[in-house]
């Protein structure tokens, strides 16, 4: 077999050690009088750590995750973890389009789970049975249970791995691709590298072109680029650290579960559409499921590799396959001009700015996003 079943199986010893570490957490004081302004609020972190240690039921969440069909494959000699959920197809209906959903950082396959049932069995949600998809959700290389490749972890290398998963391992001749953040950039590379096999791409973070040299910047483009640079001055510290001193911060996060929680939760609050109330978008069990997966897999350090290897990325070719965008509301996407995306994509079929849903849109707005994905990809028939 080209792939085999996989189960998440965290030992009692690992869980006992986790609880012991949580019980010994040393908390800092807030830097100033404004909660969250300087990072994860210590008061919130205290409550989250207490809940993690005393109330959160990992075994229940582990059983829920293992009820899904997990697999592993060897690609380029390295393990790749993924879920594969076939679409519910009526008798006589055409085969569902395979659709790969790729997460970003600091995320995981868990982000895509609210989409899976909506896309594989749309009749449960009032949709048409012929609109079902076969859904594949990988852990990107370096994340959780997928190993790093032997060479630099570039966006093109990740796209090559995912394409091999879809074609060589799973045997699909043609498929669609969706992603956000890093997974969105990889999705763009899939469309650019494999236009004969990729039916179309859908992203929540529109792409930049390989170069802006083809024509002068418009006022809207210049305003956006200036605003993004200004935002990076206040938000870019995390990526600067992970791209230049990854082993230093990874040593702290791999040793302290509270530190790991603080590092991840900061971004879930800052980048999602929550208006300052983190748990209006993510309940604690969901947050702690993701954080526990990072802790028990020991993958926080390897998840930084795509930042470390960023300079190894080559310019991406133009994206010529049909493209669709449901634009995130997070600060880095605010007022994103469609004309920037048009420099990168030659065939934009759908552009939506719904005004809700942020960096983790599959978790935040699954109904909205499943509808957008269905509308776009079914419009490409015949595949």
């Amino acid at each position: 077999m080209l792939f085999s079943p996989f189960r998440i199986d965290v030992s009692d010893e690992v869980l006992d050690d986790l609880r012991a570490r949580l019980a010994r957490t040393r908390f800092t004081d807030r830097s100033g009088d404004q909660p969250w302004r300087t990072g994860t609020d210590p008061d919130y972190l205290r409550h989250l750590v207490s809940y993690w240690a005393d109330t959160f039921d990992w075994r229940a969440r582990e059983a829920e995750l293992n009820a899904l069909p997990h697999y592993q494959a060897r690609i380029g000699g390295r393990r790749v973890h993924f879920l594969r959920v076939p679409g519910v197809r009526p008798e006589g209906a055409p085969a569902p389009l395979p659709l790969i959903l790729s997460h970003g950082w600091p995320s995981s396959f868990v982000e895509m789970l609210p989409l899976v049932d909506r896309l594989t069995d749309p009749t449960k949600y009032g949709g048409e049975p012929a609109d079902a998809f076969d859904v594949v959700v990988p852990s990107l290389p370096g994340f959780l249970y997928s190993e790093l490749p032997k060479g630099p972890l570039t966006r093109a290398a990740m796209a090559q791995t995912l394409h091999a998963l879809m074609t060589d391992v799973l045997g699909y001749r043609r498929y669609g691709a969706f992603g956000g953040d890093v997974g969105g950039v990889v999705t763009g590379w899939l469309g650019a590298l494999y236009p004969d096999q990729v039916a179309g791409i859908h992203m929540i973070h529109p792409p930049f072109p390989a170069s802006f040299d083809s024509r002068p910047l418009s006022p809207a483009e210049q305003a956006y680029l200036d605003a993004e640079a200004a935002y990076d001055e206040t938000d870019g510290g995390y990526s600067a650290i992970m791209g230049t001193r990854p082993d230093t911060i990874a040593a702290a996060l791999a040793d302290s579960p509270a530190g790991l929680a603080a590092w991840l939760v900061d971004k879930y609050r800052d980048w999602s559409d929550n208006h300052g109330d983190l748990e209006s978008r993510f309940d604690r069990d969901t947050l702690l499921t993701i954080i526990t997966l990072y802790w028990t897999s020991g993958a926080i350090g390897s998840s930084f590799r795509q930042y470390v290897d960023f300079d190894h990325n080559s310019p991406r070719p133009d994206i010529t396959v049909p493209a669709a965008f449901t634009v995130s509301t997070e600060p880095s996407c605010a007022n994103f001009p469609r004309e920037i995306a048009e420099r990168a994509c030659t065939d934009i079929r759908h552009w939506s700015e719904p005004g809700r849903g942020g960096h983790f849109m599959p978790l935040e707005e699954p109904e909205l996003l499943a509808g957008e994905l269905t509308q776009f990809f079914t419009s490409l028939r015949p595949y």
Side-chain angles (χ1 to χ4, degrees), residues 1 15 52-53 172 180 186 225 281 288 300-301 311 316 330 337 357:
M1 291 182 63
L15 294 178
W52 195 3
Y172 295 126
V186 174
L225 293 175
R281 280 298 190 182
L288 289 172
I300 189 61
D311 288 343
R316 188 206 58 241
E330 67 196 276

Side-chain angles (χ1 to χ4, degrees), residues 316-345:
R316 188 206 58 241
D318 288 344
I319 301 167
T320 59
V321 300
F325 302 95
T326 303
V327 183
S328 166
T329 63
E330 67 196 276
S332 64
C333 288
N335 301 312
F336 192 104
R338 175 170 172 161
E339 56 206 283
I340 289 182
E342 289 172 340
R343 290 175 180 261
C345 304

